[in-house]
Amino acid sequence: MRRGRGRPQGFTLIELLVSLAIFSVISLAVYSSFAAGIRAWRRAQEFSSVYQTARLLLDDMAQELKNAAAIPDTNFVGEAQRLSFVTLRQNPPATGRAPYPRVTRVTYELRRDRASPGYSLFRLEAPDIKSSDSDGGGRALIVGSISRFDFQYTHKDSKGEILPWKDAWDASDLLPLGVKITLMIGETRFTKTVFIPHGFQEKEDKRKG
C-alpha cells in the first residue's frame, strides 16, 4: 500500500504577499494613529504656552492700568498700538523687608519684526514720569510673533453711559475710564477690558434757576 504524499510544508509566494500586505495596512494604521496623537499633544502644549504667556501679560498690564496715576504735567499717551502712562508699582522686597511702592512711567509699544512677518511687543519702564519718549533705550522684549495688538479707550458721559470705544485717547491730561486690549498670537485671540477706578467721567452741569 502506497502512502499518499503530504502537503509540502511552508507558505506559498501568494500567501506571503497577502500576509505582507495585511501587515503593512495594520502598521500604517497604527503609525497614523500614533502620529496624530503626537501632533495633538504638541498643539495642546503650544496652546498652553501661548495661553499662559497671554494671560500673564494681560494680567500684568491690567494691574498697572488700575494703578495708573493722574499727576500734573504727566500725560497719558493712548494710541492704537502704543500706550504710555504713570503708574504705582510695588518693587520686590529686599531680604527681610516689606515691598515698597514706586511711581514710574510704563510704555508698551508694538514694533514689526525684521526676521518674521509678525510683530513684537516691547515694554519700557523709566523713572522720568514726565517724558513718554521711548527712544532712549532700555526696552524689554515681552513677547514676539504677534499677529495683532491693539488698544481702545472709552469713558462715561454725564448720563453714566459708556461711550463707543476709540483707537486714541485725546485728553492726555486725564485718564480714560476703560482700556480694551486685543492680543492675537497666531490665530488665537485674547481680549482684556480694564476699568480704571478713577478714570474720567463727564459730570452733568447743574443749571441754576
Side-chain angles (χ1 to χ4, degrees):
M1 184 176 181
R2 298 176 60 184
R3 296 182 179 179
R5 295 181 179 179
R7 183 179 178 180
Q9 299 296 321
F11 299 98
T12 64
L13 179 59
I14 295 178
E15 291 174 336
L16 289 174
L17 293 176
V18 171
S19 301
L20 182 59
I22 295 175
F23 178 78
S24 299
V25 171
I26 296 175
S27 299
L28 181 61
V30 172
Y31 174 79
S32 299
S33 300
F34 180 75
I38 293 296
R39 288 194 297 268
W41 178 81
R42 287 179 176 174
R43 285 195 298 267
Q45 291 294 107
E46 292 175 358
F47 178 80
S48 177
S49 176
V50 169
Y51 177 82
Q52 290 293 334
T53 300
R55 183 183 64 83
L56 292 175
L57 170 62
L58 295 179
D59 287 349
D60 288 344
M61 294 184 67
Q63 187 61 44
E64 290 177 342
L65 282 168
K66 290 178 181 178
N67 292 335
I71 301 177
D73 299 328
T74 63
N75 293 332
F76 182 99
V77 180
E79 302 173 358
Q81 295 182 333
R82 185 172 182 267
L83 179 63
S84 181
F85 58 97
V86 176
T87 186
L88 184 66
R89 287 185 55 82
Q90 294 287 343
N91 280 5
T95 305
R97 297 182 180 180
Y100 61 95
R102 180 167 62 93
V103 177
T104 184
R105 175 173 286 277
V106 176
T107 301
Y108 291 93
E109 60 182 2
L110 198 65
R111 297 201 172 191
R112 181 176 290 276
D113 287 336
R114 296 181 179 179
S116 65
Y119 296 85
S120 292
L121 178 66
F122 290 87
R123 179 183 182 276
L124 172 66
E125 183 174 338
D128 185 3
I129 63 175
K130 294 185 178 182
S131 176
S132 61
D133 185 10
S134 61
D135 292 333
R139 300 184 197 91
L141 176 63
I142 302 301
V143 61
S145 301
I146 295 177
S147 304
R148 176 185 172 189
F149 195 83
D150 297 329
F151 298 105
Q152 290 182 307
Y153 312 90
T154 189
H155 69 280
K156 284 185 178 180
D157 60 12
S158 58
K159 297 180 181 179
E161 297 180 356
I162 296 180
L163 298 179
W165 295 91
K166 302 187 300 181
D167 294 332
W169 180 249
D170 300 327
S172 61
D173 56 334
L174 299 172
L175 299 177
L177 179 64
V179 178
K180 181 185 293 185
I181 309 168
T182 302
L183 169 65
M184 285 190 66
I185 303 178
E187 298 181 355
T188 306
R189 176 175 177 172
F190 304 89
T191 302
K192 185 84 170 182
T193 302
V194 184
F195 287 100
I196 302 174
H198 45 281
F200 174 63
Q201 301 184 50
E202 295 180 359
K203 295 182 180 180
E204 187 175 2
D205 295 333
K206 295 181 179 180
R207 298 180 179 179
K208 297 181 180 180

